[in-house]
Amino acid sequence: EPEVTQTPSHQVTQMGQEVILHCVPISNHLYFYWYRQILGQKVEFLVSFYNNEISEKSEIFDDQFSVERPDGSNFTLKIRSTKLEDSAMYFCASRTGRSEKLFFGSGTQLSVL
Amino acid sequence: QKEVEQNSGPLSVPEGAIASLNCTYSDRGSQSFFWYRQYSGKSPELIMSIYSNGDKEDGRFTAQLNKASQYVSLLIRDSQPSDSATYLCAVKLEAGTALIFGKGTTLSVSS
């Protein structure tokens, strides 16, 4: 069964460093998303991406964040200058153009020290 | 701010019992509703979707929707210890394509 693939599974970085989280959405999916979940809290929407551009973003997704689809398969989330409060599990998700069901990757646990 | 509210629990039921999980939402224009299951340290896994008022059954799971009351529920029949997880209610707002999640209800099924 096709699945959303995320790498790395764990990322440790120093405060102020840049990190890039990688995702390969399901191949025939058209909408791509990043969510995050701080330990013990809810899954929070960050950004959605469709037709090679951001279609919506939350107030969390400030200028420190960016997304890119550098080729036909990868979808990345960049955090330019990480803060302690960026420590969270980051989930990539995707869906087809016809169904609103979101399918999630296994996540990248980001720890900012 | 559009919200999805769930009782965080924990909800404890014995094996074989019915577990009832509830969710309310604030966006009256929402039309699409989802239940996800999340095991500790894992990603959300889609269990059910519901779009129309009434009940929708899939195996041991039944989703119920009442748009007038802005209320969604999930019933799990014949609960098993493997059902022990956090259940997330997700709503697609009238505007946009993103799903907004509740904080989740933790279910514990004892054998």
Side-chain angles (χ1 to χ4, degrees):
Chain A
E1 187 169 327
E3 59 182 24
V4 178
T5 305
Q6 289 188 246
T7 54
S9 57
H10 293 85
Q11 176 83 52
V12 180
T13 190
Q14 295 291 324
M15 191 169 55
Q17 295 296 304
E18 174 184 289
V19 293
I20 299 176
L21 309 183
H22 298 267
C23 172
V24 179
I26 296 172
S27 63
N28 65 335
H29 285 192
L30 300 178
Y31 291 82
F32 314 118
Y33 301 82
W34 284 101
Y35 283 80
R36 78 172 185 191
Q37 187 175 32
I38 296 170
L39 187 64
Q41 298 189 26
K42 64 181 176 182
V43 176
E44 299 176 291
F45 167 68
L46 295 179
V47 65
S48 62
F49 194 86
Y50 171 72
N51 201 25
N52 285 320
E53 62 182 18
I54 291 174
S55 52
E56 57 188 308
K57 58 184 180 179
S58 71
E59 54 272 15
I60 301 170
F61 193 87
D62 61 22
D63 291 345
Q64 293 297 314
F65 292 90
S66 63
V67 290
E68 197 174 46
R69 187 154 163 84
D71 53 42
S73 59
N74 290 284
F75 179 50
T76 62
L77 175 69
K78 181 193 290 185
I79 309 175
R80 277 185 247 291
S81 179
T82 50
K83 307 182 187 106
L84 295 176
E85 55 265 36
D86 293 328
S87 295
M89 179 76 91
Y90 287 81
F91 293 112
C92 176
S94 68
R95 69 172 182 91
T96 69
R98 299 165 84 182
S99 170
E100 293 168 331
K101 297 176 186 176
L102 277 189
F103 294 90
F104 284 79
S106 55
T108 294
Q109 180 65 57
L110 176 65
S111 298
V112 182
L113 305 178
Chain B
Q1 181 81 356
K2 305 296 185 182
E3 298 284 347
V4 177
E5 300 287 345
Q6 296 181 255
N7 188 329
S8 60
L11 173 66
S12 298
V13 300
E15 185 174 357
I18 296 175
S20 177
L21 305 158
N22 305 313
C23 169
T24 59
Y25 59 94
S26 63
D27 182 10
R28 185 167 287 280
S30 294
Q31 299 293 324
S32 305
F33 308 88
F34 305 87
W35 283 99
Y36 283 80
R37 178 174 60 200
Q38 187 177 32
Y39 293 112
S40 181
K42 302 295 186 183
S43 59
E45 173 194 6
L46 180 65
I47 299 174
M48 290 199 68
S49 58
I50 187 166
Y51 306 98
S52 304
N53 280 329
D55 295 359
K56 179 181 177 183
E57 188 175 314
D58 183 0
R60 295 186 297 113
F61 298 98
T62 299
Q64 299 174 316
L65 174 61
N66 184 327
K67 291 182 184 177
S69 301
Q70 295 174 238
Y71 177 89
V72 195
S73 66
L74 179 70
L75 299 178
I76 306 174
R77 287 181 300 282
D78 187 24
S79 296
Q80 302 296 309
S82 57
D83 294 328
S84 298
T86 298
Y87 289 81
L88 310 179
C89 174
V91 176
K92 195 192 87 63
L93 302 181
E94 184 175 22
T97 68
L99 299 189
I100 303 303
F101 285 80
K103 195 172 178 184
T105 298
T106 300
L107 172 66
S108 176
V109 181
S110 55
S111 56

